[in-house]
Amino acid sequence: MDLRERIYKLIEPRNKDTYASRMYDIVMLIAIVLGIFPLMFRAHYKLFWYFDLVSSICFIIDYILRWCTADYESKRGKIAAFVIYPFTPMAIIDLLSILPIFNLLGPTFRVFRVSRMLKILRVFKVIRYFEPLEIIMAVIRKQSKVLMTVLSLAIFYIFITALIMFNAEEEINPETGEYLFEGFFDAFYWAACTLTTVGYGDIYPISHTGRVISIISSMVGIAIIALPSGIITAGYMDELEKRKKSEIE
């Protein structure tokens, strides 16, 4: 086993059979927590500067190691794997989560200033080191076609419901003296909230026709929203069972 293969087995979360691999996962999870902890405060403390520095160094090392061992994870050739890796979704997230370090290096690098919001991407790095999330992402990839079909159905239903409601609610709201929906986007927003049964209450029908439409939309919305939940749950249990069988074998 050469050095690169040992590094791959160290950084790959699926190889948890060694103490070193488990420790690497723990260190990276701590780095992620340190990286996002300052985002929970408005004030900037000196300690947070060290948190950012430590987490960014860990992310840089992890990014380099994963790039150097990209051919072990990829089904393509060695050269192609190295070229394509920086453009994969997780590699892009890794790179963007590193960029905030330029804010720490002083005024010279202010040209590279990025928003604090960029640091939120560090949360997605947890997917690699937290097995339940990794399983869910694997299920979503496998069931992507079915989930996209359900998503298309939901968007289509929201559009149709919004269109019907936009033309049904033409009365002036006596409380505001204005139309319930100023534009079609308001109707689309209302339809999305109704479909998901969120019901913020900021926009609600005032006519009997609109209320009947709202009732029907809510009832159908429950059925549509339940579809992806069932698909993901069934896929999660199947994936969990497969992993258990592979561990036994």
Side-chain angles (χ1 to χ4, degrees):
M1 185 185 299
D2 61 10
L3 179 60
R4 287 199 316 114
E5 188 175 353
R6 289 180 180 178
I7 292 174
Y8 172 72
K9 288 186 177 295
L10 173 68
I11 65 177
E12 178 52 45
R14 286 189 289 270
N15 298 317
K16 299 182 183 295
D17 53 340
T18 64
Y19 176 77
S21 180
R22 290 194 296 270
M23 286 304 299
Y24 185 87
D25 292 351
I26 292 173
V27 169
M28 289 307 301
L29 283 172
I30 293 174
I32 293 169
V33 172
L34 291 178
I36 63 177
F37 185 74
L39 296 177
M40 294 185 284
F41 297 86
R42 294 290 184 189
H44 298 275
Y45 300 103
K46 185 65 176 178
L47 183 62
F48 292 167
W49 186 90
Y50 292 105
F51 282 0
D52 274 340
L53 182 62
V54 171
S55 62
S56 296
I57 290 173
C58 290
F59 297 154
I60 291 172
I61 294 173
D62 182 69
Y63 184 83
I64 294 173
L65 293 179
R66 291 186 181 280
W67 198 352
C68 292
T69 58
D71 54 317
Y72 287 101
E73 185 72 16
S74 177
K75 296 180 181 178
R76 300 179 177 86
K78 182 178 290 189
I79 297 176
F82 292 141
V83 173
I84 293 173
Y85 176 76
F87 304 100
T88 57
M90 284 305 299
I92 293 172
I93 290 175
D94 289 344
L95 181 61
L96 292 176
S97 66
I98 292 169
L99 291 181
I101 195 176
F102 289 110
N103 285 335
L104 307 176
L105 299 181
T108 307
F109 295 93
R110 290 303 178 187
V111 66
F112 297 104
R113 184 176 180 85
V114 292
S115 170
R116 277 167 54 95
M117 294 294 291
L118 204 57
K119 294 180 183 179
I120 296 178
L121 292 175
R122 295 173 178 179
V123 176
F124 294 98
K125 292 171 70 66
V126 176
I127 294 172
R128 279 202 183 107
Y129 309 102
F130 189 51
E131 189 175 11
L133 284 177
E134 185 192 355
I135 295 174
I136 289 176
M137 292 305 298
V139 171
I140 291 174
R141 284 194 295 268
K142 290 181 180 178
Q143 302 292 340
S144 58
K145 291 184 179 179
V146 179
L147 292 173
M148 284 302 298
T149 301
V150 176
L151 178 62
S152 301
L153 174 64
I155 293 174
F156 177 74
Y157 182 76
I158 290 172
F159 176 79
I160 293 299
T161 306
L163 194 64
I164 293 172
M165 183 63 83
F166 184 70
N167 289 277
E169 281 288 339
E170 294 184 327
E171 299 180 13
I172 299 295
N173 189 335
E175 295 182 3
T176 62
E178 300 176 351
Y179 287 109
L180 176 63
F181 303 119
E182 300 250 347
F184 184 74
F185 178 77
D186 291 336
F188 194 88
Y189 164 78
W190 168 87
C193 292
T194 304
L195 175 71
T196 56
T197 66
V198 173
Y200 290 118
D202 52 345
I203 300 178
Y204 52 88
I206 56 176
S207 69
H208 293 300
T209 303
R211 289 172 179 172
V212 171
I213 296 171
S214 181
I215 292 170
I216 297 172
S217 178
S218 299
M219 294 174 67
V220 176
I222 293 172
I224 294 177
I225 292 300
L227 286 175
S229 301
I231 294 168
I232 293 175
T233 302
Y236 185 89
M237 298 306 297
D238 290 341
E239 186 70 18
L240 203 60
E241 191 66 26
K242 288 179 182 177
R243 296 196 178 201
K244 286 182 179 179
K245 288 181 179 179
S246 63
E247 288 177 0
I248 294 173
E249 295 173 357

